[in-house]
Amino acid sequence: MAFVAPPGYQPIYSPRIPYLGPICGGLREGMSIYLQGSIPEDITRFFINLLCGESESSDIALHFNPRFDGWDKVVFNTCQDGSWGSEDKIRSMPFCKGQAFEMVIMVTSQGYQIKVNGNDFHTFQHRIPVERVCAMQIAGDVSIQTINVIGVRPPLPEAFSLMLYNLSGQKLYSPVPYSNMIPGGMIPKRTIVIRGMVPYGANSICINFVVSRTRDIALHINPRVREGIVVRNSEIGGSWGQEDRELSLNPFMEGQYFDVSSVFIHSVSLMSIRCGNQRFKVFVNGQHLFDFVHRLQSFTEVDMLEIQGDVQISYIHF
């Protein structure tokens, strides 16, 4: 059960800006593009284009252009046959100079729904059929750590124990307990995205990042639904460490989804686990949930993800 990406698509980590790359298989309704990045202090502007070809001269189905020019705004537009359309100007700025951000571009039947740091920002209505989109371009004053294309529905052989859909598009949840190797391990800057739901009557969930060779648990995330807490810990050499319990919020509530894309669900949140040199950083719905400082010196040996307990998992994006 791993995230199902478009045919030939792999997550992009720390791309060089300016960036121009394909979205293999193209876009369609129900897909999302998830980006992690940061804004420099001296920013003037940057843009993200969804292109209808793999060259800079291709038609642009979505032009997303934050401008820090004294009248901070975000400009949306399209470009067809070399001619720009009428601009949508949103005189509000969801980004902050010198700060990191998480952004999701969700493809709905109406348009591109933009969320920044977990907050709805703007929906730009389709002017060009989304099926024409096959590439992405990013340029300007921005640093990007991760680009993930999420929420696709390609045909799959039955042998794959992955996120599956029936022909009507209804999600078929994958079984728990879950255990799978992490391709390439938890190297610095690696981000894992998990989508799932806490069913009614749930008691406890367990998410472990494990060293398969030693069975050490570098990060143990244990939402205890009935107690209303999220316990974090590690188990090294067969001994549990000191629990971390304090949190400003608990997103793991009965009947709630935790997710990257709100296209399929009613209550949206984002769970992403990012590995850094000093700590794991965990975000839910674009909001920082907690940091967990590495207790295992050889944290780069973490190569297995395990999930147990009262949870339904839709996909996991490595």
Side-chain angles (χ1 to χ4, degrees):
M1 183 190 62
F3 167 74
V4 184
Y9 181 83
Q10 297 295 325
I12 305 297
Y13 298 105
S14 301
R16 181 176 296 179
I17 304 298
Y19 167 81
L20 177 61
I23 301 174
C24 297
L27 284 184
R28 60 181 176 273
E29 182 182 345
M31 293 178 64
S32 299
I33 299 173
Y34 166 64
L35 302 102
Q36 283 184 321
S38 58
I39 303 294
E41 290 283 359
D42 58 350
I43 183 176
T44 56
R45 63 178 62 188
F46 73 95
F47 67 81
I48 300 171
N49 287 339
L50 297 183
L51 302 176
C52 300
E54 296 187 28
S55 70
E56 295 184 3
S57 60
S58 302
D59 286 351
I60 302 172
L62 171 66
H63 174 70
F64 176 83
N65 180 206
R67 301 178 184 178
F68 290 77
D69 53 8
W71 299 88
D72 293 356
K73 58 185 172 290
V74 178
V75 173
F76 291 81
N77 208 341
T78 56
C79 184
Q80 299 187 68
D81 299 323
S83 299
W84 288 96
S86 59
E87 293 182 341
D88 283 1
K89 294 182 180 179
I90 310 301
R91 298 195 180 277
S92 175
M93 180 56 67
F95 304 98
C96 295
K97 293 182 178 180
Q99 293 191 15
F101 68 88
E102 292 191 328
M103 175 177 170
V104 183
I105 303 172
M106 295 175 286
V107 183
T108 72
S109 58
Q110 290 76 35
Y112 298 100
Q113 183 180 351
I114 311 297
K115 294 174 71 74
V116 179
N117 295 330
N119 300 311
D120 287 323
F121 179 67
H122 181 65
T123 297
F124 181 73
Q125 294 187 351
H126 292 302
R127 301 178 184 175
I128 296 176
V130 67
E131 292 78 13
R132 291 186 57 198
V133 174
C134 61
M136 174 184 290
Q137 180 185 22
I138 305 174
D141 305 321
V142 67
S143 174
I144 299 295
Q145 283 75 56
T146 307
I147 305 173
N148 293 334
V149 176
I150 296 170
V152 298
R153 195 179 63 201
L156 293 170
E158 293 182 0
F160 285 103
S161 57
L162 305 173
M163 178 186 73
L164 300 178
Y165 291 79
N166 62 21
L167 294 178
S168 65
Q170 180 181 357
K171 292 179 293 298
L172 304 177
Y173 290 99
S174 299
V176 172
Y178 163 82
S179 179
N180 203 3
M181 302 300 290
I182 300 171
M186 286 300 285
I187 58 176
K189 297 186 179 181
R190 159 67 52 91
T191 298
I192 292 179
V193 179
I194 301 173
R195 178 182 187 225
M197 189 195 74
V198 181
Y200 288 101
N203 181 31
S204 179
I205 305 165
C206 176
I207 302 172
N208 289 333
F209 289 84
V210 181
V211 178
S212 62
R213 180 178 60 84
T214 63
R215 296 302 303 170
D216 286 342
I217 300 175
L219 173 59
H220 168 75
I221 306 173
N222 178 209
R224 301 178 184 176
V225 181
R226 294 184 182 178
E227 298 178 52
I229 60 174
V230 180
V231 173
R232 293 89 68 200
N233 207 342
S234 61
E235 184 186 22
I236 301 173
S239 299
W240 287 99
Q242 182 176 352
E243 291 183 345
D244 292 347
R245 289 176 169 237
E246 297 299 320
L247 279 181
S248 59
L249 61 93
N250 178 14
F252 300 97
M253 307 296 290
E254 290 180 292
Q256 295 297 307
Y257 293 83
F258 52 94
D259 180 49
V260 168
S261 171
S262 68
V263 174
F264 306 113
I265 62 179
H266 302 294
S267 178
V268 183
S269 60
L270 162 71
M271 184 176 184
S272 65
I273 302 97
R274 180 174 173 81
C275 183
N277 286 309
Q278 285 78 42
R279 60 184 60 84
F280 291 101
K281 298 182 76 69
V282 177
F283 291 79
V284 174
N285 196 23
Q287 304 296 318
H288 178 243
L289 186 62
F290 65 83
D291 286 355
F292 189 83
V293 176
H294 293 308
R295 300 178 181 177
L296 186 66
Q297 186 174 4
S298 56
F299 71 89
T300 55
E301 292 189 35
V302 172
D303 60 356
M304 178 176 286
L305 174 63
E306 296 180 343
I307 303 176
Q308 304 171 12
D310 306 316
V311 64
Q312 293 175 327
I313 299 298
S314 302
Y315 64 67
I316 298 170
H317 188 184
F318 293 119

mmCIF file of all heavy atoms in Angstrom, residues 87-120:
data_model
loop_
_atom_site.group_PDB
_atom_site.id
_atom_site.type_symbol
_atom_site.label_atom_id
_atom_site.label_comp_id
_atom_site.label_asym_id
_atom_site.label_seq_id
_atom_site.Cartn_x
_atom_site.Cartn_y
_atom_site.Cartn_z
ATOM 1 N N GLU A 87 -6.760 39.350 -15.666
ATOM 2 C CA GLU A 87 -6.182 38.952 -14.392
ATOM 3 C C GLU A 87 -7.235 38.882 -13.286
ATOM 4 O O GLU A 87 -8.148 39.709 -13.235
ATOM 5 C CB GLU A 87 -5.091 39.940 -13.969
ATOM 6 C CG GLU A 87 -3.857 39.926 -14.852
ATOM 7 C CD GLU A 87 -2.781 40.893 -14.354
ATOM 8 O OE1 GLU A 87 -3.136 41.814 -13.571
ATOM 9 O OE2 GLU A 87 -1.601 40.730 -14.718
ATOM 10 N N ASP A 88 -7.107 37.874 -12.445
ATOM 11 C CA ASP A 88 -7.792 37.846 -11.156
ATOM 12 C C ASP A 88 -6.767 38.297 -10.123
ATOM 13 O O ASP A 88 -5.743 37.625 -9.925
ATOM 14 C CB ASP A 88 -8.279 36.445 -10.803
ATOM 15 C CG ASP A 88 -9.534 36.047 -11.558
ATOM 16 O OD1 ASP A 88 -10.014 36.858 -12.367
ATOM 17 O OD2 ASP A 88 -10.008 34.918 -11.328
ATOM 18 N N LYS A 89 -7.020 39.432 -9.473
ATOM 19 C CA LYS A 89 -6.088 39.953 -8.474
ATOM 20 C C LYS A 89 -6.692 39.787 -7.086
ATOM 21 O O LYS A 89 -7.755 40.329 -6.795
ATOM 22 C CB LYS A 89 -5.778 41.423 -8.733
ATOM 23 C CG LYS A 89 -5.009 41.673 -10.027
ATOM 24 C CD LYS A 89 -4.696 43.160 -10.204
ATOM 25 C CE LYS A 89 -3.933 43.404 -11.499
ATOM 26 N NZ LYS A 89 -3.632 44.847 -11.701
ATOM 27 N N ILE A 90 -6.004 39.026 -6.256
ATOM 28 C CA ILE A 90 -6.427 38.821 -4.876
ATOM 29 C C ILE A 90 -5.505 39.656 -3.996
ATOM 30 O O ILE A 90 -4.315 39.352 -3.857
ATOM 31 C CB ILE A 90 -6.362 37.338 -4.479
ATOM 32 C CG1 ILE A 90 -7.076 36.476 -5.522
ATOM 33 C CG2 ILE A 90 -6.944 37.133 -3.082
ATOM 34 C CD1 ILE A 90 -8.524 36.839 -5.720
ATOM 35 N N ARG A 91 -6.050 40.733 -3.432
ATOM 36 C CA ARG A 91 -5.208 41.654 -2.658
ATOM 37 C C ARG A 91 -5.087 41.162 -1.223
ATOM 38 O O ARG A 91 -5.503 41.807 -0.259
ATOM 39 C CB ARG A 91 -5.774 43.068 -2.738
ATOM 40 C CG ARG A 91 -5.772 43.586 -4.175
ATOM 41 C CD ARG A 91 -5.985 45.078 -4.275
ATOM 42 N NE ARG A 91 -5.964 45.524 -5.666
ATOM 43 C CZ ARG A 91 -4.867 45.793 -6.359
ATOM 44 N NH1 ARG A 91 -3.688 45.675 -5.779
ATOM 45 N NH2 ARG A 91 -4.937 46.196 -7.614
ATOM 46 N N SER A 92 -4.502 39.982 -1.131
ATOM 47 C CA SER A 92 -4.216 39.346 0.148
ATOM 48 C C SER A 92 -3.006 38.466 -0.090
ATOM 49 O O SER A 92 -2.851 37.902 -1.178
ATOM 50 C CB SER A 92 -5.418 38.520 0.629
ATOM 51 O OG SER A 92 -5.104 37.817 1.811
ATOM 52 N N MET A 93 -2.132 38.369 0.903
ATOM 53 C CA MET A 93 -0.898 37.610 0.713
ATOM 54 C C MET A 93 -0.815 36.475 1.726
ATOM 55 O O MET A 93 -0.706 36.711 2.926
ATOM 56 C CB MET A 93 0.317 38.538 0.863
ATOM 57 C CG MET A 93 1.652 37.828 0.682
ATOM 58 S SD MET A 93 1.801 36.966 -0.915
ATOM 59 C CE MET A 93 1.821 38.357 -2.047
ATOM 60 N N PRO A 94 -0.897 35.222 1.249
ATOM 61 C CA PRO A 94 -0.849 34.092 2.182
ATOM 62 C C PRO A 94 0.561 33.684 2.596
ATOM 63 O O PRO A 94 0.718 32.825 3.459
ATOM 64 C CB PRO A 94 -1.513 32.974 1.383
ATOM 65 C CG PRO A 94 -1.135 33.276 -0.036
ATOM 66 C CD PRO A 94 -1.107 34.786 -0.135
ATOM 67 N N PHE A 95 1.579 34.275 1.956
ATOM 68 C CA PHE A 95 2.963 33.927 2.244
ATOM 69 C C PHE A 95 3.618 35.024 3.085
ATOM 70 O O PHE A 95 3.255 36.199 2.978
ATOM 71 C CB PHE A 95 3.762 33.741 0.951
ATOM 72 C CG PHE A 95 3.168 32.728 0.014
ATOM 73 C CD1 PHE A 95 2.373 33.137 -1.049
ATOM 74 C CD2 PHE A 95 3.388 31.377 0.193
ATOM 75 C CE1 PHE A 95 1.818 32.212 -1.915
ATOM 76 C CE2 PHE A 95 2.838 30.438 -0.674
ATOM 77 C CZ PHE A 95 2.048 30.861 -1.725
ATOM 78 N N CYS A 96 4.591 34.632 3.892
ATOM 79 C CA CYS A 96 5.323 35.583 4.734
ATOM 80 C C CYS A 96 6.801 35.530 4.379
ATOM 81 O O CYS A 96 7.370 34.441 4.204
ATOM 82 C CB CYS A 96 5.142 35.250 6.218
ATOM 83 S SG CYS A 96 3.452 35.417 6.812
ATOM 84 N N LYS A 97 7.412 36.705 4.287
ATOM 85 C CA LYS A 97 8.833 36.771 3.970
ATOM 86 C C LYS A 97 9.646 36.012 5.015
ATOM 87 O O LYS A 97 9.409 36.125 6.207
ATOM 88 C CB LYS A 97 9.288 38.225 3.918
ATOM 89 C CG LYS A 97 8.681 39.032 2.770
ATOM 90 C CD LYS A 97 9.228 40.454 2.755
ATOM 91 C CE LYS A 97 8.662 41.250 1.583
ATOM 92 N NZ LYS A 97 9.187 42.630 1.550
ATOM 93 N N GLY A 98 10.598 35.217 4.519
ATOM 94 C CA GLY A 98 11.498 34.512 5.414
ATOM 95 C C GLY A 98 10.907 33.292 6.077
ATOM 96 O O GLY A 98 11.532 32.732 6.990
ATOM 97 N N GLN A 99 9.726 32.840 5.627
ATOM 98 C CA GLN A 99 9.079 31.712 6.292
ATOM 99 C C GLN A 99 8.774 30.580 5.315
ATOM 100 O O GLN A 99 8.613 30.794 4.115
ATOM 101 C CB GLN A 99 7.788 32.161 6.975
ATOM 102 C CG GLN A 99 8.022 33.110 8.139
ATOM 103 C CD GLN A 99 6.765 33.333 8.948
ATOM 104 O OE1 GLN A 99 5.781 32.605 8.831
ATOM 105 N NE2 GLN A 99 6.791 34.361 9.784
ATOM 106 N N ALA A 100 8.695 29.380 5.882
ATOM 107 C CA ALA A 100 8.337 28.200 5.096
ATOM 108 C C ALA A 100 6.836 28.173 4.854
ATOM 109 O O ALA A 100 6.060 28.826 5.554
ATOM 110 C CB ALA A 100 8.792 26.935 5.818
ATOM 111 N N PHE A 101 6.415 27.400 3.854
ATOM 112 C CA PHE A 101 4.991 27.267 3.555
ATOM 113 C C PHE A 101 4.703 25.871 3.022
ATOM 114 O O PHE A 101 5.599 25.157 2.559
ATOM 115 C CB PHE A 101 4.540 28.312 2.528
ATOM 116 C CG PHE A 101 5.120 28.118 1.148
ATOM 117 C CD1 PHE A 101 4.493 27.296 0.217
ATOM 118 C CD2 PHE A 101 6.293 28.753 0.774
ATOM 119 C CE1 PHE A 101 5.026 27.109 -1.054
ATOM 120 C CE2 PHE A 101 6.842 28.578 -0.496
ATOM 121 C CZ PHE A 101 6.207 27.756 -1.401
ATOM 122 N N GLU A 102 3.437 25.497 3.109
ATOM 123 C CA GLU A 102 2.911 24.310 2.444
ATOM 124 C C GLU A 102 1.723 24.751 1.610
ATOM 125 O O GLU A 102 0.895 25.536 2.068
ATOM 126 C CB GLU A 102 2.490 23.241 3.453
ATOM 127 C CG GLU A 102 3.663 22.629 4.203
ATOM 128 C CD GLU A 102 3.259 21.394 4.989
ATOM 129 O OE1 GLU A 102 2.105 21.344 5.460
ATOM 130 O OE2 GLU A 102 4.089 20.486 5.136
ATOM 131 N N MET A 103 1.651 24.257 0.400
ATOM 132 C CA MET A 103 0.625 24.697 -0.542
ATOM 133 C C MET A 103 0.059 23.484 -1.263
ATOM 134 O O MET A 103 0.793 22.558 -1.615
ATOM 135 C CB MET A 103 1.248 25.674 -1.547
ATOM 136 C CG MET A 103 0.333 26.130 -2.659
ATOM 137 S SD MET A 103 1.179 27.337 -3.719
ATOM 138 C CE MET A 103 0.001 27.437 -5.069
ATOM 139 N N VAL A 104 -1.257 23.490 -1.462
ATOM 140 C CA VAL A 104 -1.920 22.435 -2.212
ATOM 141 C C VAL A 104 -2.758 23.068 -3.324
ATOM 142 O O VAL A 104 -3.521 24.003 -3.076
ATOM 143 C CB VAL A 104 -2.826 21.570 -1.311
ATOM 144 C CG1 VAL A 104 -3.449 20.438 -2.124
ATOM 145 C CG2 VAL A 104 -2.047 20.999 -0.140
ATOM 146 N N ILE A 105 -2.575 22.602 -4.540
ATOM 147 C CA ILE A 105 -3.402 22.993 -5.683
ATOM 148 C C ILE A 105 -4.316 21.815 -5.982
ATOM 149 O O ILE A 105 -3.853 20.760 -6.431
ATOM 150 C CB ILE A 105 -2.555 23.329 -6.912
ATOM 151 C CG1 ILE A 105 -1.543 24.432 -6.595
ATOM 152 C CG2 ILE A 105 -3.446 23.742 -8.086
ATOM 153 C CD1 ILE A 105 -0.534 24.676 -7.715
ATOM 154 N N MET A 106 -5.600 21.968 -5.706
ATOM 155 C CA MET A 106 -6.553 20.876 -5.882
ATOM 156 C C MET A 106 -7.383 21.117 -7.139
ATOM 157 O O MET A 106 -7.911 22.216 -7.335
ATOM 158 C CB MET A 106 -7.449 20.770 -4.650
ATOM 159 C CG MET A 106 -6.677 20.382 -3.400
ATOM 160 S SD MET A 106 -7.670 20.390 -1.897
ATOM 161 C CE MET A 106 -7.822 22.150 -1.638
ATOM 162 N N VAL A 107 -7.490 20.109 -7.963
ATOM 163 C CA VAL A 107 -8.238 20.213 -9.214
ATOM 164 C C VAL A 107 -9.676 19.768 -8.952
ATOM 165 O O VAL A 107 -9.938 18.592 -8.686
ATOM 166 C CB VAL A 107 -7.606 19.344 -10.315
ATOM 167 C CG1 VAL A 107 -8.359 19.540 -11.631
ATOM 168 C CG2 VAL A 107 -6.131 19.684 -10.490
ATOM 169 N N THR A 108 -10.600 20.718 -9.005
ATOM 170 C CA THR A 108 -12.019 20.415 -8.829
ATOM 171 C C THR A 108 -12.733 20.597 -10.163
ATOM 172 O O THR A 108 -12.144 21.036 -11.152
ATOM 173 C CB THR A 108 -12.659 21.326 -7.773
ATOM 174 O OG1 THR A 108 -12.786 22.656 -8.315
ATOM 175 C CG2 THR A 108 -11.812 21.386 -6.511
ATOM 176 N N SER A 109 -14.009 20.287 -10.193
ATOM 177 C CA SER A 109 -14.785 20.470 -11.422
ATOM 178 C C SER A 109 -14.931 21.947 -11.765
ATOM 179 O O SER A 109 -15.108 22.310 -12.934
ATOM 180 C CB SER A 109 -16.164 19.823 -11.274
ATOM 181 O OG SER A 109 -16.862 20.390 -10.167
ATOM 182 N N GLN A 110 -14.846 22.815 -10.737
ATOM 183 C CA GLN A 110 -15.001 24.258 -10.975
ATOM 184 C C GLN A 110 -13.689 24.937 -11.362
ATOM 185 O O GLN A 110 -13.667 25.864 -12.160
ATOM 186 C CB GLN A 110 -15.559 24.957 -9.721
ATOM 187 C CG GLN A 110 -17.007 24.631 -9.401
ATOM 188 C CD GLN A 110 -17.152 23.253 -8.789
ATOM 189 O OE1 GLN A 110 -16.287 22.804 -8.029
ATOM 190 N NE2 GLN A 110 -18.230 22.567 -9.125
ATOM 191 N N GLY A 111 -12.587 24.476 -10.761
ATOM 192 C CA GLY A 111 -11.331 25.156 -11.029
ATOM 193 C C GLY A 111 -10.222 24.621 -10.149
ATOM 194 O O GLY A 111 -10.285 23.504 -9.633
ATOM 195 N N TYR A 112 -9.195 25.461 -9.978
ATOM 196 C CA TYR A 112 -8.056 25.117 -9.148
ATOM 197 C C TYR A 112 -8.255 25.750 -7.776
ATOM 198 O O TYR A 112 -8.244 26.977 -7.641
ATOM 199 C CB TYR A 112 -6.762 25.627 -9.777
ATOM 200 C CG TYR A 112 -6.482 25.020 -11.135
ATOM 201 C CD1 TYR A 112 -6.781 25.725 -12.304
ATOM 202 C CD2 TYR A 112 -5.927 23.748 -11.250
ATOM 203 C CE1 TYR A 112 -6.539 25.178 -13.547
ATOM 204 C CE2 TYR A 112 -5.683 23.185 -12.497
ATOM 205 C CZ TYR A 112 -5.985 23.910 -13.642
ATOM 206 O OH TYR A 112 -5.747 23.357 -14.869
ATOM 207 N N GLN A 113 -8.447 24.906 -6.768
ATOM 208 C CA GLN A 113 -8.641 25.390 -5.408
ATOM 209 C C GLN A 113 -7.286 25.434 -4.723
ATOM 210 O O GLN A 113 -6.599 24.414 -4.612
ATOM 211 C CB GLN A 113 -9.596 24.482 -4.641
ATOM 212 C CG GLN A 113 -9.899 24.961 -3.225
ATOM 213 C CD GLN A 113 -10.848 24.029 -2.500
ATOM 214 O OE1 GLN A 113 -11.405 23.118 -3.098
ATOM 215 N NE2 GLN A 113 -11.030 24.258 -1.220
ATOM 216 N N ILE A 114 -6.903 26.623 -4.243
ATOM 217 C CA ILE A 114 -5.586 26.834 -3.656
ATOM 218 C C ILE A 114 -5.710 26.900 -2.148
ATOM 219 O O ILE A 114 -6.503 27.682 -1.618
ATOM 220 C CB ILE A 114 -4.941 28.133 -4.184
ATOM 221 C CG1 ILE A 114 -5.008 28.207 -5.714
ATOM 222 C CG2 ILE A 114 -3.506 28.257 -3.682
ATOM 223 C CD1 ILE A 114 -4.249 27.137 -6.427
ATOM 224 N N LYS A 115 -4.907 26.097 -1.464
ATOM 225 C CA LYS A 115 -4.797 26.154 -0.008
ATOM 226 C C LYS A 115 -3.341 26.440 0.338
ATOM 227 O O LYS A 115 -2.438 25.818 -0.222
ATOM 228 C CB LYS A 115 -5.235 24.849 0.651
ATOM 229 C CG LYS A 115 -6.715 24.530 0.488
ATOM 230 C CD LYS A 115 -7.051 23.162 1.046
ATOM 231 C CE LYS A 115 -6.985 23.146 2.562
ATOM 232 N NZ LYS A 115 -8.143 23.837 3.172
ATOM 233 N N VAL A 116 -3.117 27.375 1.251
ATOM 234 C CA VAL A 116 -1.774 27.698 1.708
ATOM 235 C C VAL A 116 -1.747 27.581 3.221
ATOM 236 O O VAL A 116 -2.571 28.194 3.906
ATOM 237 C CB VAL A 116 -1.335 29.109 1.261
ATOM 238 C CG1 VAL A 116 0.073 29.418 1.778
ATOM 239 C CG2 VAL A 116 -1.375 29.230 -0.256
ATOM 240 N N ASN A 117 -0.825 26.776 3.726
ATOM 241 C CA ASN A 117 -0.696 26.541 5.166
ATOM 242 C C ASN A 117 -2.023 26.125 5.791
ATOM 243 O O ASN A 117 -2.384 26.559 6.888
ATOM 244 C CB ASN A 117 -0.126 27.773 5.867
ATOM 245 C CG ASN A 117 1.297 28.078 5.434
ATOM 246 O OD1 ASN A 117 2.046 27.170 5.079
ATOM 247 N ND2 ASN A 117 1.667 29.340 5.442
ATOM 248 N N GLY A 118 -2.747 25.287 5.057
ATOM 249 C CA GLY A 118 -3.987 24.732 5.567
ATOM 250 C C GLY A 118 -5.206 25.601 5.403
ATOM 251 O O GLY A 118 -6.314 25.177 5.742
ATOM 252 N N ASN A 119 -5.043 26.807 4.867
ATOM 253 C CA ASN A 119 -6.168 27.737 4.745
ATOM 254 C C ASN A 119 -6.586 27.885 3.286
ATOM 255 O O ASN A 119 -5.745 28.017 2.391
ATOM 256 C CB ASN A 119 -5.783 29.117 5.297
ATOM 257 C CG ASN A 119 -5.405 29.053 6.764
ATOM 258 O OD1 ASN A 119 -6.123 28.474 7.568
ATOM 259 N ND2 ASN A 119 -4.276 29.657 7.118
ATOM 260 N N ASP A 120 -7.907 27.877 3.045
ATOM 261 C CA ASP A 120 -8.403 28.155 1.701
ATOM 262 C C ASP A 120 -8.013 29.569 1.299
ATOM 263 O O ASP A 120 -8.186 30.519 2.064
ATOM 264 C CB ASP A 120 -9.925 28.030 1.656
ATOM 265 C CG ASP A 120 -10.388 26.593 1.731
ATOM 266 O OD1 ASP A 120 -9.713 25.724 1.145
ATOM 267 O OD2 ASP A 120 -11.407 26.327 2.386
#
